[in-house]
Amino acid sequence: MDSDDQAPPASPTRGAALTFAVALAVFAAALALYAATLAPGVGAGDAARIQVAAARLELGGGAGDRPLSVALAHLAVRWLPIGDAAYRANLASAAAAALAVAAVFALALALLDATRLGGSPRGRLLFAAAGAASLAVAAPFWASSVIAGTTPLNVLLITLVTWLWVAR
């Protein structure tokens, strides 16, 4: 077979578009899962403290050691037009969890690309998506993703920092 019969290499733009599409699908699937199983109202313990603090934008006191989580939940309480304040605070946690799952996909893909493990580029996409899906359905993470809390936001931030370190 001569060089004229070979298929041209895939363009980097097409590869980036596929990667973005898979990341978006991972995010959307996780968000749909968490939204479908979201706690419908006021929780107990820390969840309740974050929900109340978010509704009042109280960054001190009971939930004062969680200002970033309270601020994120307050944005949801203030601007989302669905459900009551507690539901919206729970939804903010679910959104942070879905973003964390997408960030784990990006981190896993960066690690697979750096080490050339996983075979072909599409194989690496599949393995990275499987790793992210494993986090999404892990019982402890799932349970903390459907109530107002700090775990999803913490996982998101730690994953993003690690991804920045790996991608440098």
Side-chain angles (χ1 to χ4, degrees), residues 20-118:
F20 180 75
V22 173
L24 190 60
V26 165
F27 167 77
L31 186 59
L33 175 69
Y34 299 145
T37 57
L38 197 65
V42 177
D46 284 344
R49 280 192 284 281
I50 290 173
Q51 290 166 335
V52 170
R56 298 177 182 167
L57 191 56
E58 294 175 348
L59 298 178
D65 56 347
R66 303 163 187 87
L68 196 54
S69 295
V70 170
L72 175 69
H74 177 73
L75 290 174
V77 166
R78 175 105 190 212
W79 296 105
L80 290 179
I82 57 173
D84 61 6
Y87 179 83
R88 287 178 262 179
N90 292 341
L91 196 55
S93 186
L99 284 171
V101 170
V104 164
F105 166 77
L107 174 60
L109 188 59
L111 288 168
L112 288 169
D113 285 344
T115 59
R116 294 289 181 207
L117 294 174

Side-chain angles (χ1 to χ4, degrees), residues 12-22:
T13 305
R14 188 170 25 178
L18 179 60
T19 300
F20 180 75
V22 173

Side-chain angles (χ1 to χ4, degrees), residues 96 99-100 102-104 106-107 153-167:
L99 284 171
V104 164
L107 174 60
L153 189 58
N154 289 342
V155 171
L156 172 62
L157 295 175
I158 290 167
T159 304
L160 288 175
V161 167
T162 307
W163 176 77
L164 288 171
W165 180 73
V166 167

